[in-house]
Amino acid sequence: MDLDLDAHLTTAEAAVADAVDLDALAIVDTELLGRKSALATVRSRLGDMDPDDRKVVGRRVNEVRTEVERLISERRAELAVGARAEVLEAERLDLTEFDRGRRLGHRHVVTQTWERLEDLFVGMGYTVAEGPEIEDEWHNFGALNFPLGHPARDMYDTLYVEYGEPQSTLLRTHTSPVQIRVMEEQEPPIYSIMPGRVFRSDTADATHMPVFHQIEGLVVDRGITFGDLAGTLDAFTTAYFGSEFTSRLRPSYFPFTEPSAEFDIRRPDGSWLELAGCGMVHPEVLRSCGLDPEDWSGFAFGFGLDRLALMRHGIDDLRELFRNDHRFLGQF
Ligand code: DAH
């Protein structure tokens, strides 16, 4: 026998351990186990040996081969971990490096407006409530005194969701359905605001977006009057815009309020701007929520939240709020 198998195994062990990377190991692998390797040569000569030797040598060759295979695969796993770490290190992105310290992000101008309004009303003793963006027909329309087929429903370009009966499920067209949910869930007295995202199938232009934000207000208590509504909105105007601003109410129509009004503010230059719809909660709406209009009365209002942001910052295109161009957003 011309190969000392034990010595060969020792050499093999050293060669495997010395392979510095996966490429070097691949070469060692071919040298030790390939067709031209010493082990392969011994094997090919087994046929020439006498049967007793063949049995002993054959078994030992297989043992050595198995052991060399094991060593190689162990070393391969070891090197692979190292290689992965190297790739990770080489491809690492230092995200802290970008404009460090100078250009911290901040809240979006709509979020700032949203939070400012919440702070203001919470300061006046209101709580903040929320409702689902996917609504049922009853909360968005029915309970708000829009009967089925009532033309007032056409004021809203409703996006319906394919769920349940046709037109039974929709993306809420206003935050008013949250009024209903609040009245269903809690007993008066209620002093709540309800900010949120609303949806209409409108084409985007400078004053319309298919997705926008509103903030709803609802007060239900004993003996609430139209004077309370006017006083509250006036207090809001001064607190939000400053003492140079005043407000007025103009008659209007909404199915869920009676009487209904539009709320305008007067800017220091004397011009008027329409900001919200409002009115006294309609007795039918109170009844829909299980409240007796003989005992309870209330007022409600609904602002376009994005509009307030535009107005406050002198922005003239609503679409800017949704483009997420940081050169624009960075100004606020
Ligand atoms: N929901 C109305 C709209 O989207 C706005 C509105 C008007 C809300 C009058 C009110 C209200 O609460 O009393 O057009």
Side-chain angles (χ1 to χ4, degrees):
M1 195 179 79
D2 33 26
L3 180 68
D4 177 342
L5 283 166
D6 294 327
H8 182 70
L9 182 56
T10 311
T11 321
E13 258 166 19
V16 170
D18 285 350
V20 291
D21 57 25
L22 289 168
D23 290 341
L25 186 65
I27 294 170
V28 173
D29 187 339
T30 313
E31 278 169 9
L32 292 176
L33 300 171
R35 268 187 301 118
K36 293 178 185 153
S37 64
L39 284 176
T41 311
V42 177
R43 238 188 191 166
S44 69
R45 290 188 196 145
L46 286 175
D48 305 335
M49 294 182 182
D50 68 64
D52 286 344
D53 280 354
R54 184 193 303 154
K55 211 172 161 188
V56 176
V57 176
R59 181 184 304 132
R60 187 63 192 139
V61 168
N62 281 339
E63 282 168 4
V64 170
R65 192 181 164 83
T66 309
E67 178 60 10
V68 171
E69 280 170 355
R70 192 185 63 77
L71 289 169
I72 289 178
S73 100
E74 244 177 52
R75 180 75 183 137
R76 184 176 292 122
E78 227 171 78
L79 290 171
V81 171
R84 172 100 184 115
E86 242 167 65
V87 170
L88 285 179
E89 185 52 33
E91 295 181 355
R92 198 161 79 97
L93 291 179
D94 182 359
L95 297 176
T96 61
E97 209 173 352
F98 178 71
D99 262 358
R100 187 181 304 159
R102 283 191 293 127
R103 304 237 323 239
L104 277 182
H106 61 71
R107 295 206 205 300
H108 190 281
V109 60
V110 171
T111 313
Q112 290 176 32
T113 308
W114 179 315
E115 293 183 346
R116 219 169 153 259
L117 289 164
E118 283 188 357
D119 284 353
L120 211 143
F121 278 102
V122 167
M124 289 164 70
Y126 286 59
T127 58
V128 180
E130 278 183 33
E133 293 180 347
I134 299 180
E135 260 300 1
D136 52 58
E137 175 283 321
W138 168 251
H139 286 92
N140 197 82
F141 290 127
L144 287 162
N145 199 31
F146 293 81
L148 269 175
H150 190 285
R153 289 197 182 201
D154 302 340
M155 291 178 359
Y156 301 92
D157 302 299
T158 310
L159 290 160
Y160 288 95
V161 175
E162 277 185 28
Y163 181 81
E165 294 291 304
Q167 309 213 335
S168 64
T169 311
L170 44 84
L171 296 180
R172 65 179 178 194
T173 58
H174 50 178
T175 43
S176 301
V178 192
Q179 286 185 32
I180 303 300
R181 293 189 176 273
V182 167
M183 284 188 272
E184 282 171 347
E185 278 157 28
Q186 75 195 59
E187 298 281 313
I190 294 168
Y191 291 79
S192 284
I193 51 157
M194 296 142 259
R197 204 152 50 150
V198 302
F199 308 82
R200 290 186 200 173
S201 95
D202 261 335
T203 308
D205 64 25
T207 53
H208 296 88
M209 284 297 287
V211 181
F212 56 105
H213 302 89
Q214 288 188 333
I215 183 163
E216 193 81 13
L218 175 69
V219 166
V220 181
D221 206 339
R222 292 187 200 278
I224 296 291
T225 67
F226 200 83
D228 295 315
L229 169 61
T232 302
L233 290 178
D234 212 43
F236 160 79
T237 305
T238 332
Y240 188 80
F241 293 102
S243 53
E244 331 81 85
F245 287 74
T246 52
S247 68
R248 74 176 175 196
L249 295 172
R250 269 182 301 122
S252 184
Y253 171 77
F254 297 99
F256 41 94
T257 42
E258 180 58 35
S260 303
E262 299 289 345
F263 164 66
D264 302 336
I265 59 162
R266 184 174 184 275
R267 295 185 272 215
D269 68 1
S271 61
W272 291 94
L273 185 81
E274 183 184 314
L275 273 193
C278 59
M280 300 306 289
V281 180
H282 197 291
E284 270 316 308
V285 174
L286 292 172
R287 268 186 217 108
S288 293
C289 301
L291 296 173
D292 185 345
E294 297 298 321
D295 294 337
W296 303 104
S297 60
F299 64 76
F301 54 84
F303 288 93
L305 204 150
D306 316 272
R307 227 166 182 219
L308 278 176
L310 294 190
M311 151 72 209
R312 213 184 138 73
H313 297 287
I315 304 164
D316 52 20
D317 192 327
L318 183 59
R319 289 167 292 191
E320 291 290 0
L321 298 183
F322 298 89
R323 270 192 196 119
N324 282 342
D325 182 332
H326 68 90
R327 288 165 303 184
F328 168 77
L329 293 175
Q331 302 174 80
F332 310 102

